[in-house]
Amino acid sequence: MPATDPLSVTEALHARRSVRAFTDTPVDPALLSDIFAAAQRAPSGGNLQPWQATVVTGDRWAAVKDAVAARIAMGRDGYEPEYDIYPKGLTEPWEARRFGVGEALYGALGIPRDNKAGRIAQFVENYRGFGAPVMLFLHCSRIMGPPQWSDMGMWLQSVMLLLVEAGLASCPQECWAMYGKTVRAALGLDEGQILFTGLAIGYADRDAAVNRWPVPRAELEEVIDWQGF
């Protein structure tokens, strides 16, 4: 972990973004171990600490990518989703936010809507972890419910902020859950586990346009209802 000039929590929050282009610089496993140890301070209801993670690199990471690529080649027949990543019948304002961020991303890459092949190629990059040398797969026991999934989210956010503090970057990727059975098999996880998300980890390619476009956030008036102040 950094010994000097650590970022404040506020600075880390502002610096963190979902990075979609990584360098091939290896990540020190000892540094990752320190980060995961610190993230264990994340809160959880009843101190269950339901999160479990499998972290892969090298040949193990390549094997996961190859296994999922074979499923992708099957088209929709290859889907094996662990859960609905987005609610069915998504309404406003959430649908507009989802559509808007996608269009902004493709706009930053100069891929117009009529370039279907270009958009598909960019989407497939999800399943290569955008070139990240390390992938963390977050999972938990199937007996866990929504409160424990919330706990997993708090652990994941803790990890992402600690990665920023250490000069690393990440991209949370729920898309891996679309091929959950294949990922679990490649990782040696049994049916008692459910895959929540992947987290690409590495050093950001600072020159890549996909890492420099502004990601909008809702105004406070849209999300906070002040009462009794």
Side-chain angles (χ1 to χ4, degrees):
M1 303 292 287
T4 60
D5 299 325
L7 297 177
S8 69
V9 175
T10 299
E11 289 170 332
L13 277 167
H14 282 286
R16 192 217 66 82
R17 66 176 293 142
S18 295
V19 164
R20 291 180 173 85
F22 292 84
T23 72
D24 59 3
T25 303
V27 179
D28 182 358
L31 177 57
L32 290 178
S33 182
D34 287 345
I35 287 169
F36 299 146
Q40 284 300 107
R41 299 306 305 170
S44 60
N47 199 33
L48 295 189
Q49 304 167 68
W51 48 81
Q52 294 177 267
T54 301
V55 187
V56 295
T57 192
D59 291 344
R60 295 293 296 135
W61 175 206
V64 176
K65 287 184 280 189
D66 289 346
V68 171
R71 297 296 299 186
I72 293 173
M74 298 169 63
R76 290 191 175 275
D77 291 339
Y79 289 171
E80 42 193 12
E82 298 280 76
Y83 58 90
D84 291 329
I85 294 177
Y86 299 106
K88 290 182 172 65
L90 193 63
T91 57
E92 300 300 344
W94 305 288
E95 178 61 19
R97 292 175 187 167
R98 180 187 175 193
F99 178 81
V101 77
E103 288 301 302
L105 185 153
Y106 288 122
L109 292 169
I111 306 175
R113 294 190 67 183
D114 58 1
N115 185 353
K116 301 300 183 184
R119 291 195 170 201
I120 290 172
Q122 176 59 32
F123 179 76
V124 170
E125 283 300 308
N126 279 280
Y127 296 100
R128 297 179 182 131
F130 304 112
V134 175
M135 179 62 69
L136 178 153
F137 289 103
L138 184 58
H139 46 93
C140 70
S141 170
R142 288 188 185 273
I143 70 171
M144 300 300 175
Q148 288 75 50
W149 281 57
S150 173
D151 295 340
M152 282 198 292
M154 289 188 281
W155 182 85
L156 189 67
Q157 174 77 327
S158 299
V159 168
M160 289 190 289
L161 294 179
L162 289 163
L163 288 167
V164 170
E165 182 187 41
L168 287 156
S170 65
C171 184
Q173 294 186 277
E174 292 172 336
C175 64
W176 292 97
M178 291 297 296
Y179 301 96
K181 184 176 181 180
T182 293
V183 173
R184 285 187 281 104
L187 299 177
L189 301 176
D190 62 34
E191 289 292 330
Q193 292 285 303
I194 184 168
L195 178 67
F196 170 31
T197 188
L199 182 71
I201 298 172
Y203 292 94
D205 180 349
R206 301 296 180 187
D207 296 327
V210 74
N211 290 335
R212 292 187 283 110
W213 57 281
V215 182
R217 289 293 187 265
E219 297 295 333
L220 283 187
E221 291 75 11
E222 295 183 55
V223 298
I224 303 295
D225 177 20
W226 300 91
Q227 297 189 9
F229 287 87

